[in-house]
């Protein structure tokens, strides 16, 4: 090839490169002149934020709970949340419009809640996903007893330690300062048709004194399924801490409460529950360290309501926990449970304070299905740690030095309104066992009316007395 031909080829190449650059620029100009579609508008509004990457629950807890107004569609909610670079973690099926939202920017939850609260045309309320924490359980091992030590019925070796059920005055107690379980058991010892949900740290469903009274999902009840969280083979209950099916207790608190309600009676083992026959459904929302969130409590309640609608006879939720932080979302979830005929029994708290002046939740929710419980010692005195409230705490029950089931096939003694609460739940279950069709309103009335009046409780609790199982069944 001669030199002249080389320059001709170089000139052609330069012309082609220049032409390609000009055409590319023209395409970019055209793109810039196109009218914005709805899709490009949404992208423009969120400019400057990275695209949301869907994360698993283990990556992030939702920061806020938002309830959207009626008429706001799920499509609208999804677009609004995405525009804020947030994600919908869950929609609570039984509280219409209630959504838990994960902020992908990790902003301050209060600021995120304020952002949604300001959307007054779309949002009813919004607040942070509050942390819930159990107090350090005052639980200690109990001296082992054997069936050979027992000469009376029931033959459970630790029944002699259960002063709350039958107080004979020993151990510094006052004779008759109890729930009168022996007399109640002449009427009914409970029923395996009655399901009591324990909303707590889970339950050790393999404990020998509980295993025969644990709820197991019947074959004719479908597995639990949640639109956002997925499907669960909920054989023994639900674990909202990990969004999992296994509600095994890793703390002990929930197992202790479960034993008070429904440890098998007269089986030559451990203790006797208030119900010798029952079905305990574990709802785990507090983890190994006793920590949880409002959202997890709501999720667990939502599970119980779903099971009720699928044919499971959930009549009572026992809730031995609380805080001074008011959550409208939790209140709405408990209301939804009441609308399905579920009584919600809650601990009044262990701060020695007046709940009329310093509210404690969920026990202070003024709902027709909520009962708030204070704690008594074995002399019928209000326990030194117990909260009270002439207008807001409904009944008192034994809650000090209570022996019950614990992890690893053990038994421990514990104190708190946490221990008083399952005594009321257990009595409510006895009532339902005898009157299967009783409404939640009548059930609450029956519990509150069935008390032994105690002078010291005047001005301290609404009913002015300690619950009595025998009276509850006689009414």
């Amino acid at each position: 090839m001669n030199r002249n031909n080389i320059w001709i080829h170089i000139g052609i190449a330069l012309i082609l490169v220049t032409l390609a650059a000009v055409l590319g620029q023209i395409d970019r100009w055209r793109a810039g002149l196109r009218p914005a579609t709805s899709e490009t508008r949404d992208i423009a509004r969120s400019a400057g934020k990275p695209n949301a990457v869907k994360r698993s629950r283990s990556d992030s807890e939702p920061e806020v709970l938002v309830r959207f107004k009626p008429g706001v569609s799920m499509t609208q909610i999804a677009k609004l949340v995405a525009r804020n670079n947030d994600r919908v973690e869950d929609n609570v099926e039984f509280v219409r419009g209630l959504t838990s939202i994960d902020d992908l920017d990790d902003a301050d939850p209060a600021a995120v809640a304020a952002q949604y609260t300001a959307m007054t045309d779309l949002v009813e309320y919004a607040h942070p996903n509050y942390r819930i924490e159990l107090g350090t359980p005052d639980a200690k091992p109990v001296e082992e007893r054997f069936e050979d030590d027992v000469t009376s019925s029931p033959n459970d070796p630790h029944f002699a330690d259960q002063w709350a059920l039958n107080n004979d005055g020993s151990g510094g107690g006052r004779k008759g300062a109890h729930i009168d379980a022996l007399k109640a058991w002449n009427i009914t010892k409970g029923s395996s048709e009655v399901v009591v949900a324990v909303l707590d740290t889970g339950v050790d469903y393999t404990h020998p004194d509980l295993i025969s009274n644990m709820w197991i999902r019947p074959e004719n009840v479908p597995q639990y399924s949640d639109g956002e969280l997925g499907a669960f083979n909920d054989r023994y209950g639900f674990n909202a801490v990990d969004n999992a099916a296994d509600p095994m207790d890793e703390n002990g608190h929930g197992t202790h409460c479960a034993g008070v309600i429904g440890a098998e009676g007269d089986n030559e083992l451990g203790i006797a529950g208030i119900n010798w026959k029952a079905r305990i459904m574990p709802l785990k929302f507090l983890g190994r360290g006793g920590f949880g969130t409002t959202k997890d409590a709501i999720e667990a309640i939502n599970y119980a309501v779903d099971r009720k609608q699928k044919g499971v006879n959930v009549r009572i939720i026992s809730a031995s926990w609380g805080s001074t932080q008011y959550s409208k979302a939790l209140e709405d979830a408990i209301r939804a449970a009441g609308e399905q005929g579920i009584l919600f029994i809650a601990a009044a708290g262990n701060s020695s304070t007046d709940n009329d002046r310093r509210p404690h939740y969920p026990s202070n929710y003024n709902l027709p299905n909520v009962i708030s419980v204070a704690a008594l010692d074995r002399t019928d005195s209000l326990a030194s740690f117990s909260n009270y409230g002439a207008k807001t705490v409904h009944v008192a029950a034994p809650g000090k030095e209570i022996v019950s089931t614990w992890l690893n096939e053990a038994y421990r003694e514990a104190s708190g309104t946490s221990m008083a609460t399952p005594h009321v739940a257990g009595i409510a279950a006895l009532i339902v066992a005898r009157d299967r069709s009783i409404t939640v309103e009548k059930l609450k009335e029956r519990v509150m009316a069935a008390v032994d009046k105690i002078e010291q409780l005047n001005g301290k609790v609404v009913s002015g007395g300690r619950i009595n199982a025998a009276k509850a069944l006689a009414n």
Side-chain angles (χ1 to χ4, degrees):
M1 183 182 293
N2 63 39
R3 190 172 295 175
N4 289 335
N5 286 340
I6 292 173
W7 287 111
I8 291 170
H9 284 290
I10 292 173
I12 293 171
L14 289 171
I15 292 169
L16 290 173
V17 170
T18 303
L19 180 61
V22 170
L23 291 174
Q25 182 61 44
I26 290 171
D27 283 341
R28 285 192 288 274
W29 288 340
R30 285 176 177 172
L33 293 172
R34 286 186 194 123
T37 64
S38 59
E39 181 179 359
T40 59
R41 286 193 196 102
D42 285 343
I43 294 171
R45 285 173 184 168
S46 60
K49 288 190 175 185
N51 292 329
V53 177
K54 189 171 183 180
R55 298 181 290 181
S56 68
R57 179 171 179 99
S58 61
D59 291 327
S60 178
E61 278 277 352
E63 280 88 1
V64 295
L65 294 163
V66 181
R67 188 169 189 185
F68 292 90
K69 290 186 174 181
V72 181
S73 69
M74 294 307 303
T75 301
Q76 287 177 285
I77 292 172
K79 287 183 177 180
L80 175 64
V81 170
R83 192 158 60 237
N84 290 334
N85 196 37
D86 301 333
R87 73 176 180 100
V88 173
E89 189 262 353
D90 191 20
N91 293 301
V92 180
E93 287 78 7
F94 295 102
V95 181
R96 187 177 180 86
L98 182 56
T99 304
S100 58
I101 294 176
D102 176 23
D103 173 61
L104 299 179
D105 299 316
D106 292 327
D108 177 65
V112 178
Q115 181 184 22
Y116 283 96
T117 299
M119 303 175 189
T120 54
D121 55 333
L122 299 173
V123 172
E124 285 193 13
Y125 60 78
H127 63 69
N129 180 21
Y130 300 120
R131 177 184 170 104
I132 295 171
E133 179 180 349
L134 284 177
T136 303
D138 180 20
K140 59 183 181 180
V142 295
E143 181 182 349
E144 188 172 6
R145 293 180 182 268
F146 302 94
E147 58 187 277
D148 294 341
D149 300 333
V150 181
T151 59
S152 60
S153 180
N155 60 20
D156 307 88
H158 281 295
F159 183 70
D161 299 320
Q162 293 183 271
W163 67 265
L165 306 190
N166 181 47
N167 193 340
D168 61 8
S170 60
R174 187 176 73 79
K175 187 174 182 179
H178 56 209
I179 68 168
D180 211 359
L182 293 178
K183 191 179 293 185
W185 289 335
N186 289 330
I187 302 172
T188 182
K189 296 180 177 70
S191 168
S192 58
E193 300 300 315
V194 179
V195 179
V196 181
V198 177
L199 182 60
D200 211 287
T201 61
V203 176
D204 181 357
Y205 48 80
T206 65
H207 194 292
D209 221 359
L210 293 172
I211 192 168
S212 65
N213 283 344
M214 294 305 303
W215 177 80
I216 298 176
R217 179 172 53 80
E219 291 297 326
N220 64 336
V221 175
Q223 292 185 10
Y224 179 57
S225 180
D226 182 280
E228 291 71 41
L229 305 178
F232 303 87
N233 182 17
D234 56 320
R235 180 171 172 79
Y236 297 109
F238 186 63
N239 175 353
V241 176
D242 304 307
N243 278 347
D246 186 4
M248 176 57 74
D249 189 2
E250 302 171 283
N251 176 279
H253 189 271
T255 299
H256 195 278
C257 294
V260 172
I261 297 166
E264 185 179 1
D266 208 36
N267 64 342
E268 300 183 339
L269 183 66
I271 65 167
I274 295 171
N275 294 263
W276 293 12
K277 294 295 180 185
R279 287 292 177 260
I280 304 297
M281 173 189 282
L283 302 179
K284 181 176 181 176
F285 90 101
L286 297 165
R288 182 192 299 269
F291 304 110
T293 67
T294 305
K295 166 54 177 51
D296 289 346
I298 291 169
E299 189 179 320
I301 295 167
N302 190 68
Y303 169 84
V305 173
D306 177 271
R307 301 292 80 183
K308 180 72 183 295
Q309 288 203 335
K310 297 299 192 300
V312 178
N313 191 31
V314 184
R315 296 302 312 274
I316 299 146
I317 294 176
S318 184
S320 291
W321 47 272
S323 76
T324 56
Q325 187 66 64
Y326 171 73
S327 165
K328 178 63 174 171
L330 180 58
E331 181 179 19
D332 284 346
I334 295 170
R335 180 184 290 105
E339 291 168 354
Q340 297 299 319
I342 300 174
L343 185 66
F344 193 94
I345 302 174
N350 302 320
S351 302
S352 308
T353 55
D354 185 348
N355 285 1
D356 292 353
R357 298 185 177 185
R358 187 171 183 263
H360 177 273
Y361 301 102
S363 61
N364 264 63
Y365 290 132
N366 185 22
L367 295 173
N369 65 318
V370 171
I371 294 180
S372 175
V373 186
L376 300 173
D377 65 20
R378 64 178 71 219
T379 68
D380 259 348
S381 298
L382 189 70
S384 60
F385 53 77
S386 180
N387 289 5
Y388 54 91
K391 298 177 181 179
T392 55
V393 179
H394 299 103
V395 296
K400 188 173 182 182
E401 299 169 339
I402 304 299
V403 175
S404 188
T405 46
W406 201 259
L407 304 182
N408 301 316
E409 302 186 9
Y411 299 85
R412 287 196 180 182
E413 177 187 287
S415 299
T417 55
S418 286
M419 284 65 248
T421 298
H423 281 89
V424 180
I427 291 175
L430 289 179
I431 295 171
V432 176
R434 191 162 185 245
D435 186 355
R436 307 291 175 85
S437 62
I438 190 169
T439 65
V440 67
E441 293 83 9
K442 291 295 183 182
L443 181 56
K444 179 176 177 177
E445 289 177 14
R446 183 83 66 85
V447 170
M448 291 183 60
V451 299
D452 292 328
K453 297 289 185 178
I454 298 172
E455 185 176 354
Q456 187 199 357
L457 295 181
N458 288 334
K460 297 291 186 181
V461 300
V462 176
S463 64
R466 175 205 0 95
I467 54 166
N468 183 304
K471 285 185 177 181
L473 297 175
N475 289 343

